[in-house]
Amino acid sequence: APPRFGLRLVDVPVSDVHNPRGLRYIIDYLPPGTVIHRRILIQSQEPRTGHFTFYPDAARIRNGTFVGDTGHTRSELTTWITVQHRALTLQPQASVMDMVTIKVPRTATRGEHYGVIWVQQVARARSGHGIAVREVSRVGIRIYLAVGRGGAPPTRFAISSIAGHRSSDGRPLLTAHVRNTGGRAVDLSGTAGLSEGPGGTTAGPFRAQQALTLAPGQSGTVSFAPGRRLPAGPWLAR
């Protein structure tokens, strides 16, 4: 059966208590020389004793996606991070709290740094034909850590264009081209509503097909699929 275990952030800064991202990820703006601590809950739902490793890894934002590296890839940020336990053994249905400490050195590079905290389990199976299979399962928590002095960089984005078209199989699509114009990474989602259509009709709202993550200066496309029955326009899209 596939492994069953989870990871959850426990400590959230007061400033992020109403921020959905702040409840899920380690997000902060820190001056050089600062130390922060975040507790993380690791829970096993395995029917047997599980062995886990716990470590920081590098990450980047590319093609509209936050991508965590695999295999202990080093970055400037990972050298600032320590975890309380690098290896954990959990009994069935057990959980344990662990501590993540981030020490930002005084020589830290200014700007936003990305990383991930992984909990990993490795399973080994061997077939009757002598072929070894090694399966690695990971679950992680993203880190968005900005370093600087003074006020935090602004969080901004702009929609530069909206277009309607049809896919190769005739499905109507609505796309919004978005650019991150601020100083922090953004995770974008949203809805699209259509009005002033044929005969004064309206449609929607339609949810974005998937979230889009953009680092400062990056741009990408958010897509909406209204459904095959949508008549040809023109429409006013919001």
Side-chain angles (χ1 to χ4, degrees), residues 105-173:
R106 297 191 180 279
T107 57
T109 302
R110 305 302 195 267
E112 195 164 45
H113 300 260
Y114 310 115
V116 62
I117 299 293
W118 288 122
V119 170
Q120 174 179 298
Q121 186 180 54
V122 178
R124 292 180 176 86
R126 188 177 298 275
S127 74
H129 302 286
I131 299 175
V133 177
R134 181 172 181 264
E135 182 182 71
V136 179
S137 301
R138 299 182 183 92
V139 61
I141 292 178
R142 302 181 190 184
I143 303 174
Y144 297 83
L145 187 68
V147 177
R149 293 192 181 276
T155 300
R156 292 193 301 253
F157 65 92
I159 301 174
S160 57
S161 64
I162 301 176
H165 52 93
R166 291 188 181 273
S167 64
S168 57
D169 60 354
R171 292 181 297 112
L173 294 172

Side-chain angles (χ1 to χ4, degrees), residues 154-158 179-184 186 215-218:
T155 300
R156 292 193 301 253
F157 65 92
R179 182 174 180 82
N180 184 347
T181 58
R184 302 293 302 271
V186 293
Q218 292 183 346

Side-chain angles (χ1 to χ4, degrees), residues 9 11 13 26-28 36-40 98-101:
L9 182 64
D11 295 323
I26 297 176
I27 301 175
D28 222 322
I36 62 171
H37 305 278
R38 296 287 186 270
R39 288 179 301 166
I40 288 177
D98 210 290
M99 182 71 74
V100 176
T101 300

